[in-house]
Amino acid sequence: MENVTLNNGLEMPLVGYGVFRVPDGDDLAEAVKTAIAKGYRSIDTAQVYRNEESVGRGIRAAIDEGLVAREELFITSKVWNDRLSYEETLAAYASSLEKLGLDYLDLYLIHWPGLDTSYIEAYKALEKIYQDGRVRSIGVSNFHVHHLEHLLKETTVIPVINQIEFHPHLTQEEVRNYCKEHRIQVEAWSPLMNGSLLEEALIQQLASKYNKTPAQIVLRYDVQHGVVTIPKTMTPSRMTENLDVFDFALADEEMAQLDAMNDGLRCGPDPEKFNFK
Ligand SMILES: NC(=O)c1ccc[n+]([C@@H]2O[C@H](COP(=O)([O-])OP(=O)(O)OC[C@H]3O[C@@H](n4cnc5c(N)ncnc54)[C@H](OP(=O)(O)O)[C@@H]3O)[C@@H](O)[C@H]2O)c1
């Protein structure tokens, strides 16, 4: 596994494990433990996924069984900031910690900017948690350039991460360039477009050429762009497959061909329109 260094010096694995749409329950706890046993060190959950308890159970089982130490893990959760006040955001962090059964998170994110500017108040609560040493880093998700510009003007801690929908159909150059300029690491959600990308002819051709799977081509594309990626899978063989992207490299012209698939197609909501309803 390769890491990136965030703007506050913290190291984060380039490939992590996502758990969106997986219900709370024993299957998820077992999947999280299996993912850790297979080498995942970064796990991405959120308040709104309503599965933090099982994610925490899986993490604690892995620690108790000696598979990993807490300090080796990088655990992310997110506040669902539907007009959350400063105090409610502080309470949401405490609640996530309690559900996960952890003393601290490695990264806490504002999940969506929403359609007003209440994310500033929520982010100030994240800054307080960070300054008190109760979280190792803070950041945002689904922020466009104008959201980031406003955030940087009104707050003091530069987010370490902007987690956005990113894949060859949605390359987000403007926001990636802004993030690079401001040392904000980009992280890709739905990197496989929920699996639908894997049918694309170009991706299948590259998979045959490199003797890799379509998913590995897409995840390699992320890594080669320097973008952290967090594919979700409940299938143990795919957990192994999705980590195995560090032994080959796509040629520059192949990266350009993948970039050229960009047509703005989203598999999730548009941050300019998403109002939590
Ligand atoms: N910040 C945000 O607003 C936001 C939004 C969406 C997602 N996220 C995060 O990003 C993570 C990933 O996104 P996602 O879950 O939406 O979708 P994704 O990772 O793009 O795709 C997941 C789907 O792909 C399948 N899959 C995974 N690996 C595969 C492989 N090697 N070969 C074939 N199929 C494979 C999975 O099936 P099986 O499980 O059946 O194997 C699942 O159906 C989420 O879990 C969540 O943590 C964040």
Side-chain angles (χ1 to χ4, degrees):
M1 173 60 67
E2 290 176 17
N3 289 340
V4 288
T5 305
L6 303 178
N7 68 29
N8 69 349
L10 197 61
E11 299 266 307
M12 178 179 195
L14 262 167
V15 181
Y17 183 64
V19 298
F20 183 33
R21 293 191 204 87
V22 187
D24 224 15
D26 293 344
D27 287 356
L28 178 55
E30 191 58 34
V32 167
K33 194 180 84 177
T34 303
I36 293 171
K38 285 177 176 288
Y40 287 85
R41 293 294 173 262
S42 168
I43 297 165
D44 180 86
T45 184
Q47 175 189 352
V48 78
Y49 300 170
R50 297 181 201 282
N51 60 16
E52 288 169 313
E53 282 174 15
S54 314
V55 169
R57 257 197 299 130
I59 292 169
R60 292 194 313 279
I63 295 170
D64 291 347
E65 290 176 28
L67 298 174
V68 75
R70 170 67 186 93
E71 310 76 69
E72 296 171 75
L73 293 172
F74 191 102
I75 311 300
T76 303
S77 192
K78 317 179 191 87
V79 58
W80 189 247
N81 62 317
D82 181 5
R83 299 210 182 81
L84 277 188
S85 66
Y86 180 88
E87 291 301 330
E88 284 170 313
T89 304
L90 295 180
Y93 183 68
S95 162
S96 283
L97 283 186
E98 195 186 329
K99 288 193 173 125
L100 284 156
L102 299 174
D103 300 332
Y104 67 91
L105 294 186
D106 299 277
L107 177 62
Y108 196 47
L109 302 177
I110 291 189
H111 207 143
W112 286 89
L115 300 184
D116 59 25
T117 54
S118 57
Y119 59 80
I120 296 292
E121 204 185 337
Y123 194 79
K124 284 184 177 167
L126 266 58
E127 289 185 316
K128 168 75 176 150
I129 296 164
Y130 181 61
Q131 277 150 0
D132 287 350
R134 292 188 294 131
V135 67
R136 297 184 78 206
S137 62
I138 56 174
V140 295
S141 179
N142 298 301
F143 275 43
H144 281 170
V145 169
H146 70 94
H147 300 120
L148 290 168
E149 279 172 342
H150 184 57
L151 187 77
L152 264 48
K153 209 164 97 210
E154 297 293 326
T155 64
T156 52
V157 179
I158 296 178
V160 296
I161 285 278
N162 185 17
Q163 185 184 112
I164 55 175
E165 183 177 344
F166 172 82
H167 42 68
H169 277 300
L170 190 70
T171 56
Q172 306 248 32
E173 275 202 42
E174 191 194 357
V175 73
R176 279 196 295 129
N177 286 339
Y178 183 90
C179 285
K180 193 170 180 190
E181 207 180 303
H182 293 272
R183 299 183 58 227
I184 300 168
Q185 173 67 45
V186 172
E187 179 176 18
W189 63 252
S190 294
L192 308 175
M193 285 189 93
N194 285 310
S196 66
L197 253 185
L198 310 178
E199 306 300 320
E200 300 274 354
L202 171 62
I203 292 169
Q204 295 204 346
Q205 272 165 30
L206 291 170
S208 321
K209 173 177 170 184
Y210 287 99
N211 203 18
K212 287 280 177 182
T213 66
Q216 288 170 327
I217 297 297
V218 177
L219 298 172
R220 178 69 209 178
Y221 167 83
D222 296 351
V223 162
Q224 242 172 275
H225 263 310
V227 170
V228 169
T229 191
I230 46 170
K232 169 262 168 187
T233 180
M234 289 293 281
T235 314
S237 61
R238 290 175 174 172
M239 292 178 191
T240 309
E241 180 185 326
N242 293 350
L243 275 185
D244 183 19
V245 297
F246 294 100
D247 63 349
F248 76 112
L250 297 165
D252 290 348
E253 58 272 22
E254 292 163 346
M255 289 293 285
Q257 282 177 312
L258 290 165
D259 283 337
M261 285 172 63
N262 182 40
D263 54 5
L265 186 66
R266 295 176 181 275
C267 66
D270 181 342
E272 298 302 329
K273 297 181 186 150
F274 188 52
N275 67 357
F276 306 98
K277 301 224 166 65

